[in-house]
Amino acid sequence: MSVTIYHNPACSTSRNALAAIREKGIEPLIVEYLKTPPSRDELKAVIAKSGEPVRHFLRERGTPFDELGLGDESLSDDALLDAMMAHPVLINRPIVVSDKGAVLCRPLAKVFDVLP
C-alpha cells in the first residue's frame, strides 16, 4: 500500500503519525510541505479524496488566518486554496493519504482510518 504523509517535523502530532505508520511496517513518502508545498491541484485532489470541506484543512493557530480574514464563512473554496498556496503554514497537518483515502490526523487516531 502506498502511503504519503504531509509532514511537519516540528509538530509532535505529525511525528507521532509518522511513527504510527512506520509501526505498521510502512515506509511512507514524506512530504515536508513547508519546504515543498503541494501544488494547488495536488492539494485540491487530497482534500477531495478526504470527503471533507477545504475549510477542514485550514490551520488557525500560529498562522496568518486572522490577518487574512479566513474566518469569513462566505469565502469560497478557491479563496481558501489561494490562501493556502500563498501561505503553506495554513495547511493543517499531518495529512495522510493512502489507497483507502485521505485524513487530517487530528486526532492522531484518524491515521488508522487509512492504514491497512
Side-chain angles (χ1 to χ4, degrees):
M1 171 179 276
S2 170
V3 175
T4 300
I5 182 171
Y6 291 87
H7 179 59
N8 179 349
C11 170
S12 63
T13 303
S14 196
R15 290 191 309 270
N16 290 336
L18 179 56
I21 295 165
R22 287 178 168 158
E23 285 172 12
K24 286 282 198 173
I26 299 167
E27 185 54 41
L29 172 65
I30 300 169
V31 178
E32 288 190 35
Y33 70 94
L34 293 176
K35 291 181 181 177
T36 310
S39 70
R40 180 190 180 89
D41 287 342
E42 184 180 359
L43 182 60
K44 194 172 181 177
V46 166
I47 293 171
K49 190 170 186 173
S50 78
E52 297 286 349
V54 172
R55 187 168 290 284
H56 178 73
F57 289 85
L58 271 176
R59 181 167 178 81
E60 295 181 33
R61 199 175 76 210
T63 73
F65 180 90
D66 290 329
E67 293 84 1
L68 296 172
L70 297 176
D72 180 350
E73 294 290 331
S74 71
L75 290 172
S76 68
D77 287 350
D78 283 332
L80 298 177
L81 285 166
D82 287 345
M84 293 163 94
M85 292 294 89
H87 307 277
V89 71
L90 287 165
I91 301 170
N92 210 344
R93 81 282 176 166
I95 301 169
V96 176
V97 183
S98 77
D99 301 338
K100 292 177 75 174
V103 293
L104 172 62
C105 298
R106 291 191 175 271
L108 176 63
K110 296 282 245 174
V111 71
F112 299 109
D113 292 350
V114 293
L115 296 179

